[in-house]
């Protein structure tokens, strides 16, 4: 609850006390003169609530309980509804904002919560663990979502879902590029999505350096992400493409030394790429090195695409 005025901490406590007492919860009050109240309520079944009252006008209720049935969830909703009603009675329109967040379900058989690369937490409608294996390099998960299809997750980093064709098209130039007869280098892309789409466009040769250096990623994707990769991962070499399961740094250095040049370089590395060399311990140094080496193998009129 965000209030339009300062909160009388004692008045809030007195108003909400009966609601928790009706639940048979034991109360403990912590009072700081300038920092408000922290009140804990504990029930015999292990459920507990924290009531935090800030003098400047912020009141927060956090309720935790073990409920694996609908009745328990209904009881939680009823308690929170009573708290909200009592607060509205107490402050008579002086509540600026009420925000109730959905419950976070911990310890479930299937984990629905995954962080984004920029630190946000997303809850997916995941209903099945399709694949879950540890390779020598990382944990590889493929989870099924009703909304997004199968999702590839590498060491907790959400990489790609079967529904993410728009991402693949965007990193290829959004349909504005002509790949016919062109030499293309893909860095990363172990899910096979970019390779599958470019091969359809009749390039001269596509070299994909699956720089996660992890055959198990390819094995998992070719079995469980076929809407993304089609059949291009069934064999590591085709009529107009080859897949190298190697660290991309030595490969780029070798190509630069040989003078091999590409019309397109597409950088689809994971958020935290696997490296086999100490010189790439810093993520920013790694990305800087990738960019520098990519420029050395890119033709004068070539194009470099990245996330």
């Amino acid at each position: 609850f965000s209030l339009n005025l300062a909160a009388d901490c004692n008045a809030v406590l007195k108003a909400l006390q009966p609601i928790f007492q009706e639940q048979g919860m034991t109360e403990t009050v912590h009072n700081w003169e300038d920092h408000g109240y922290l009140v804990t309520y504990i029930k015999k079944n292990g459920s507990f609530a924290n009531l935090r009252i800030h003098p400047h006008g912020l009141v927060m209720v956090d309720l935790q309980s073990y409920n694996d049935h609908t009745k328990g969830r209904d009881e939680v909703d009823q308690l929170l509804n009573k708290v909200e009603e009592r607060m509205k009675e107490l402050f008579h329109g002086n509540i600026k904002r009420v925000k109730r967040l959905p419950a976070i379900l911990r310890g479930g058989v299937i984990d629905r919560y995954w962080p984004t690369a920029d630190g946000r937490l997303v809850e997916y409608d995941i209903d099945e663990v399709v694949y879950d294996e540890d390779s020598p390099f990382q944990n590889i998960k493929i989870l099924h979502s009703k909304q997004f299809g199968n999702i590839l997750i590498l060491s907790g980093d959400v990489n790609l879902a079967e529904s993410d064709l728009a991402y693949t098209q965007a990193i290829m130039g959004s349909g504005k590029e002509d790949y016919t007869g062109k030499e293309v280098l893909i860095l990363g892309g172990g899910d096979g999505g970019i390779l599958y789409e470019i091969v359809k466009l009749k390039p001269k040769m596509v070299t994909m350096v699956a720089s996660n250096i992890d055959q198990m990623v390819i094995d998992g994707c070719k079995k469980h992400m076929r809407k993304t990769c089609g059949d291009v991962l069934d064999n590591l070499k085709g009529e107009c493409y080859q897949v190298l399961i190697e660290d991309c740094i030595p490969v780029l250095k070798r190509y630069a030394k040989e003078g091999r040049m590409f019309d397109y370089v597409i950088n689809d590395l994971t958020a935290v790429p696997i490296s086999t060399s100490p010189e790439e311990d810093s993520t920013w140094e790694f990305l800087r090195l990738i960019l520098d080496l990519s420029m050395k193998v890119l033709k004068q009129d070539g194009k470099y695409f990245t996330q």
Side-chain angles (χ1 to χ4, degrees), residues 51-123:
L51 170 62
R52 186 71 171 95
I53 310 168
H54 293 272
H56 67 273
L58 180 64
V59 179
M60 297 183 293
V61 179
D62 177 33
L63 181 62
Q64 296 191 29
S65 63
Y66 181 79
N67 289 316
D68 56 357
H69 51 82
T70 304
K71 181 182 177 183
R73 291 191 292 270
D74 289 344
E75 289 175 355
V76 169
D77 285 337
Q78 290 171 12
L79 187 148
L80 293 177
N81 288 339
K82 289 180 180 179
V83 169
E84 189 170 330
E85 290 170 8
R86 192 67 55 84
M87 287 290 291
K88 288 178 178 177
E89 291 171 2
L90 182 64
F91 287 99
H92 303 294
N94 282 312
I95 297 178
K96 187 191 309 179
R97 185 171 64 252
V98 178
K99 183 72 172 181
R100 189 187 297 191
L101 300 176
I104 293 178
L105 308 178
R106 296 178 172 90
V109 176
I110 299 175
D111 189 358
R112 300 162 59 95
Y113 306 94
W114 295 93
T116 62
D118 59 348
R120 292 174 292 117
L121 187 64
V122 178
E123 179 180 3

Side-chain angles (χ1 to χ4, degrees), residues 24 29 87 151 196 218 249 287 305:
V29 180
M87 287 290 291
I151 304 173
Y196 181 53
I218 289 178
I249 298 294
L287 296 176
F305 291 145

Side-chain angles (χ1 to χ4, degrees), residues 168-182 184 197-198 200-203 263-266 301-305:
T168 300
Q169 292 173 334
I171 202 173
M172 290 170 52
S174 301
K176 299 176 183 178
E177 302 298 320
D178 182 8
Y179 286 92
T180 307
K182 300 296 175 60
V184 183
E197 296 301 321
I198 288 184
K200 298 177 186 177
L201 304 178
K202 310 300 182 186
D263 297 289
Y264 291 92
V265 176
I266 301 177
D301 58 348
K303 292 185 179 180
Y304 176 84
F305 291 145

Side-chain angles (χ1 to χ4, degrees), residues 238-306:
E239 185 177 337
C240 65
Y241 72 89
Q242 61 176 340
V243 178
L244 307 178
I245 313 296
E246 299 182 45
D247 187 342
C248 68
I249 298 294
V251 174
L252 283 168
K253 289 179 177 178
R254 183 170 75 242
Y255 285 168
K257 187 176 181 180
E258 295 170 353
R260 186 170 176 186
M261 305 296 282
F262 296 88
D263 297 289
Y264 291 92
V265 176
I266 301 177
N267 180 350
D268 189 37
L269 295 168
T270 55
V272 184
I274 294 172
S275 170
T276 58
S277 171
E279 69 180 303
E280 293 100 44
D281 282 347
S282 162
T283 299
W284 288 113
E285 287 302 320
F286 184 95
L287 296 176
R288 188 178 289 112
L289 181 59
I290 290 289
L291 182 59
D292 179 55
L293 291 172
S294 295
M295 294 303 105
K296 291 180 180 178
V297 299
L298 191 64
K299 291 181 180 179
Q300 187 76 24
D301 58 348
K303 292 185 179 180
Y304 176 84
F305 291 145
T306 189

